Amino acid sequence: MIDLFPTSEEDAAAIVREHAGTGRRLAICGGDTRAGFGNAVEAESRLRSTNLAGIVAYNPGEMVMTARAGTPLAEIENALAGNGQMMAFEPMDHRPLMGTTGEPTIGGVFAANVSGPRRFVAGAARDSLLGVRFINGRGEAIKAGGRVMKNVTGLDLVKLMAGSYGTLGFLTEVTFRVPPRPKDEATIAVEGLNDAEAAHAMAAAMALPVEVSGAAHLPMTVTWKFLDGTLPASEATVLRIEGLPGSVEARATKLAAAMTAFGAVMRFGRDESVQLWREIRDVLPYADGTPRPVWRVSTAPGVGHQLVAALRLETGVDAFYDWQGGLIWMRMEADAEADLVRRFLKALGGGHAALLRAPERMRAATAAFQPQPQPVELLSARLKEKFDPAGILNPGKMAAS
C-alpha cells in the first residue's frame, strides 16, 4: 500500500478529489497506533496526517487549544503539562495492547473518540471537541464549530466526526477544551471484594459527596500486574480522588472511612495513583504480546459483572472493570466468541462490544463494532453517502461504511 503524506489541507483535498474522480479507495490514518482494530479496509493507498502537525493556537487562559490533526499526542500533552492543564478524557495509548509502534496523533484520538478512566465523570473525547476542519469524500474542505464553547455552529457535525474512524472525512485540524490539571490525587483500594460486591461498593462511593474521578475493579487474576505488584494480593476495588491537596486529603479520608464497611482499605499517594490509573487506562494486564482476543464492552455499570459471569459458564475469559463497572476489558482464552458476547450483552439490556485485538483469521470473521439496529444502520449509510458519495474513505472500516 502506498503512503501519502499531504503537507497542507490543500494537498489533502487534492489527493481526495483525485481518488474520488477515479474511484480509488483511501485508507485514512494518523500514527497508525491502532492498526488491526476495526474491520479490514481494502484500499490502494493510505492517506496519513502525520505531516499536518503543529499547535496552531493555544492561550492557556482560554483553556482551548487548536492543533493540526497529525500533531503527536506527546507534543500536546507536554504543552499542556507546562501550563498545568490536561485533556480531561484521559486518552488511552493503544500501542502496548495492540503491539503497534509509531506516535499517537491528536486527530487519531478524536477520530476514534479515545477516552480513558475519567470518561464516566468528565465525558468522552467528543465532549471536549469544539471545532474541526476536515476533507470530505468529494475533496472539499469543511470547517465546523469554533474556539468558544458557546459557539454551537456546527456542533452536531463536530460530534459526528468524533468516533467516525475516518469514514466520513480526513481530519486536518481540531479545537478542544483543556481544563486545569488536578494538583493532587489519591487512590483508595478496597480489598477482597468479588465482582458483584465491587459493583455495589463503587455505586456507594459514587453516591458520596467526595467527587470520585476514577472507579475500577481489578480481580485477583490481574491485580499482581499493577503498580509493580504492590496492590493487595486479593481483589482490589480502586477509587480515585483528585483536586487541591487539602481537599484531596479531606475527601480521601472520608471515602476511606466509608469504604471500611465493605472491606480492608489501603491508600495510595499521588505518584502511585498516577501510575495505577495510567496502567488501567492502557489495559496493562492484556498488553502481553499475544494476539489473544480482547474485547472492550460498555454497558450499564450494575450489569457488567453479570455479563462476565454468564460468559465464564460457557468459555474461558479474564476481565477487569473501569467506569464504575460500565467498561469491561475482557481477554478470551481461545476464540473471540462474538456470538456469545453479543447475545448475552443484549439479554442484559444492551451495550456496545468492540473487538480490539484478535488473530487475523478471527478478525476477518468477526464484525469489530457492535451491529446496529436497522434504522441506525440505514441512517449511518445515508450519512456515509452524503459525506463520501464515492465510498473511497476507509471503506468497510465500520459496519455501514
Side-chain angles (χ1 to χ4, degrees), residues 188-195 198 216-238 266 268 272 275-277 279-280 283-286 312 318-321 331:
I188 301 300
V190 187
E191 301 181 39
L193 305 184
N194 63 35
D195 292 4
H217 177 59
L218 314 174
M220 189 185 303
T221 55
V222 300
T223 49
W224 62 277
K225 296 187 178 181
F226 291 101
L227 280 184
D228 304 315
T230 60
L231 279 178
S234 61
E235 299 83 358
T237 306
V238 292
M266 295 178 66
F268 297 96
E272 291 171 308
Q275 179 184 339
L276 173 62
W277 289 97
E279 292 171 349
I280 292 172
V283 197
L284 179 67
Y286 306 147
R312 283 176 173 157
D318 193 25
F320 72 93
Y321 308 81
R331 186 186 63 193

Side-chain angles (χ1 to χ4, degrees), residues 1-357:
M1 187 180 295
I2 301 171
D3 280 326
L4 304 173
F5 296 93
T7 57
S8 68
E9 190 174 78
E10 292 75 16
D11 271 355
I15 290 170
V16 174
R17 280 196 301 271
E18 179 188 354
H19 282 72
T22 59
R24 287 178 295 155
R25 296 163 293 186
L26 283 166
I28 304 297
C29 76
D32 210 23
T33 60
R34 278 172 288 278
F37 175 52
N39 303 319
V41 174
E42 295 185 6
E44 291 74 19
S45 303
R46 185 163 54 175
L47 184 61
R48 303 191 61 172
S49 65
T50 47
N51 283 2
L52 297 172
I55 295 172
V56 176
Y58 175 39
N59 183 337
E62 296 178 351
M63 294 191 292
V64 174
M65 177 182 282
T66 298
R68 295 185 179 91
T71 308
L73 189 60
E75 181 179 335
I76 301 288
E77 291 176 329
N78 287 340
L80 294 176
N83 289 284
Q85 294 178 329
M86 66 174 183
M87 290 174 283
F89 51 91
E90 264 178 306
M92 172 185 177
D93 183 350
H94 283 81
R95 289 174 293 183
L97 179 67
M98 303 299 291
T100 55
T101 57
E103 287 292 328
T105 63
I106 190 64
V109 164
F110 284 111
N113 194 33
V114 180
S115 310
R118 205 181 286 110
R119 184 251 184 269
F120 77 120
V121 292
R126 66 164 52 93
D127 297 305
S128 290
L129 192 59
L130 300 177
V132 294
R133 293 183 67 93
F134 66 95
I135 308 301
N136 67 12
R138 295 184 176 88
E140 300 166 336
I142 307 294
K143 178 183 178 181
R147 287 180 53 79
V148 182
M149 193 61 177
K150 290 181 181 178
N151 178 2
V152 297
T153 303
L155 187 60
D156 288 345
L157 183 55
V158 171
K159 292 186 181 297
L160 187 64
M161 293 302 296
S164 62
Y165 288 87
T167 60
L168 302 180
F170 175 69
L171 281 173
T172 59
E173 187 178 282
V174 291
T175 297
F176 51 99
R177 291 184 295 122
V178 288
R181 182 185 301 273
K183 295 186 181 299
D184 195 15
E185 69 174 78
T187 291
I188 301 300
V190 187
E191 301 181 39
L193 305 184
N194 63 35
D195 292 4
E197 292 167 341
H200 182 53
M202 288 188 287
M206 295 305 299
L208 294 171
V210 295
E211 299 179 21
V212 172
S213 69
H217 177 59
L218 314 174
M220 189 185 303
T221 55
V222 300
T223 49
W224 62 277
K225 296 187 178 181
F226 291 101
L227 280 184
D228 304 315
T230 60
L231 279 178
S234 61
E235 299 83 358
T237 306
V238 292
L239 304 160
R240 179 174 61 184
I241 299 290
E242 297 178 297
L244 296 172
S247 173
V248 167
E249 172 64 29
R251 289 183 288 129
T253 299
K254 183 174 183 177
L255 177 62
M259 289 297 103
T260 57
F262 294 92
V265 170
M266 295 178 66
R267 179 169 172 174
F268 297 96
R270 184 183 189 281
D271 291 345
E272 291 171 308
S273 181
V274 168
Q275 179 184 339
L276 173 62
W277 289 97
R278 183 174 61 246
E279 292 171 349
I280 292 172
R281 180 198 73 181
D282 294 343
V283 197
L284 179 67
Y286 306 147
D288 52 12
T290 77
R292 280 190 286 181
V294 171
W295 287 92
R296 180 184 185 276
V297 180
S298 57
T299 186
V303 301
H305 66 279
Q306 297 178 45
L307 172 65
V308 174
L311 286 169
R312 283 176 173 157
L313 295 175
E314 303 285 344
T315 189
V317 55
D318 193 25
F320 72 93
Y321 308 81
D322 199 356
W323 299 358
Q324 196 199 323
L327 174 63
I328 314 159
W329 290 103
M330 301 192 307
R331 186 186 63 193
M332 316 303 284
E333 292 305 314
D335 194 81
E337 304 286 7
D339 290 342
L340 274 180
V341 170
R342 287 171 170 152
R343 184 170 80 247
F344 288 157
L345 185 61
K346 182 178 180 181
L348 289 168
H352 189 279
L355 182 64
L356 261 72
R357 187 185 76 190

